[in-house]
Amino acid sequence: IIVQAVMRMLNIKNDLDGKTIMVTAGPTREAIDPVRYISNHSSGKMGYAIARAALDRGAKVLLISGPVALTPPVGAEIIPVISTQDMYEAAVSRFEEVDAVIGAAAPADYKPAEVSPVKIKKTEDAMTITLIRTPDIIKTLGRTKTRQKVVGFAAETQDVEQYARQKLVDKSMDMIVANDVSANGVGFGSDYNAVKIIRHDGNLKEVPRMPKEQVAHIILDELASLFEDSVL
Amino acid sequence: IIVQAVMRMLNIKNDLDGKTIMVTAGPTREAIDPVRYISNHSSGKMGYAIARAALDRGAKVLLISGPVALTPPVGAEIIPVISTQDMYEAAVSRFEEVDAVIGAAAPADYKPAEVSPVKIKKTEDAMTITLIRTPDIIKTLGRTKTRQKVVGFAAETQDVEQYARQKLVDKSMDMIVANDVSANGVGFGSDYNAVKIIRHDGNLKEVPRMPKEQVAHIILDELASLFEDSVL
């Protein structure tokens, strides 16, 4: 344990050297018509912070990003996407190249069953939209992984830890980062986050409120230890 | 006519001095649950360009802005809003103070009939959302105006001029700025726009593709001439 701790201290700035890490970030948008869409409050800040931290620690980074208002991290390969289907296709097609995926994006999980090719006129007092499921990106990657570590996120507003543990198992993740997006001053849009990191062995690490840059490094500490476990 | 033209040249930088202009800009967001929402592709760039141009020409500017990723114009009073109901309440409550409103925002015209207080779990393969109409901001202002000039926008994907002329009459506007948001390289998100400006007397001005800053000034030229007409 002491040897590991010392090694980690020595390697802190370069412990992901030689690894390729795919990060997904931001929301996706699902078109209702050419003007309207369904999206969510993900700002992309957590994913971008992870991408930057991974670059700082020597990793090659592939950042699949939904529409966000953030400056891309220098050195990452960026694949911009709009819809969940776009993000799914990009992630699946590049999965073989990477050693880990960190799914910090909040892809829309439902999309309109039909997309109107023209702007829908507001002739009706009420209208209904039928929504259908989009592909589950992290579940697909979790169930098809070979050597890759799969790290997912769970943004919840209630029973956060319980839902996160369910997702971890159901989607064959190696680790899940859970946060309560209904809490004030953390999560969506904020520069701060407070999370629980749960590993596949059930081990839980509570990360109190701190800047997303610091949360990013703690997530990568945990990922680095997953890589170490695989070697042992 | 020559006198008017000369006066306009002389006054070009200060012809809105003494006027208070309300500008609405950006999209609005309508919550489905604490995470998901419905929005649209308005970037706010056209409205922000109008606000800046109006400030440059001496106007006092009240900018009611939905969520955008733009730097606020220096000197404007900014009222940030999220939903169409927010924007409606801000616009109605401040309408009496202003000489004109330019409705460059694209407020969501439908919102979910019910907003879930917790994140909806994706248990179902399909779901339906019932949407109901939001209040029509420009129509309300057009029908309650006293001295104010009401300038609306029409973002359409087909039969642009026809829909714009209908809106102009139906919402008691003084002028409408119509654009085809399905055309490439203009409109939503772009730094350029190409519009048709239609006045209440039926007069049409075609503005070819140019930077939104220039389109903003042409819209304000037309507004200034509406103010002049009122004086005559």
Side-chain angles (χ1 to χ4, degrees), chain A residues 22-43:
Chain A
M22 177 190 287
V23 180
T24 69
T28 60
R29 291 179 181 169
E30 301 301 334
I32 298 172
D33 65 23
V35 173
R36 303 173 179 93
Y37 61 79
I38 296 176
S39 191
N40 64 65
H41 290 293
S42 170
S43 64

Side-chain angles (χ1 to χ4, degrees), chain A residues 29 32 34-41 69 109-110 118-119 121-133 136 155-158 163 167 171 181 188, chain B residues 29 32 34-41 69 109-110 118-119 121-133 136 155-158 163 167 171 181 188:
Chain A
R29 291 179 181 169
I32 298 172
V35 173
R36 303 173 179 93
Y37 61 79
I38 296 176
S39 191
N40 64 65
H41 290 293
D109 37 25
Y110 288 93
V118 297
K119 185 181 173 189
K121 303 302 293 178
K122 41 183 175 181
T123 46
E124 306 293 337
D125 281 348
M127 58 187 272
T128 55
I129 305 181
T130 301
L131 302 177
I132 57 173
R133 288 287 297 276
D136 191 320
E156 304 291 348
T157 55
Q158 55 179 346
Y163 282 130
K167 277 189 176 176
K171 303 188 181 186
V181 291
F188 287 162
Chain B
R29 290 178 182 170
I32 298 171
V35 173
R36 302 172 178 97
Y37 60 79
I38 296 176
S39 192
N40 63 64
H41 290 293
D109 37 24
Y110 287 94
V118 297
K119 185 180 174 190
K121 301 304 294 178
K122 40 183 176 180
T123 45
E124 305 294 333
D125 281 347
M127 58 186 273
T128 55
I129 306 181
T130 301
L131 302 176
I132 57 174
R133 288 287 297 276
D136 191 320
E156 304 291 348
T157 54
Q158 55 180 346
Y163 281 130
K167 277 190 178 177
K171 303 189 181 185
V181 292
F188 288 161

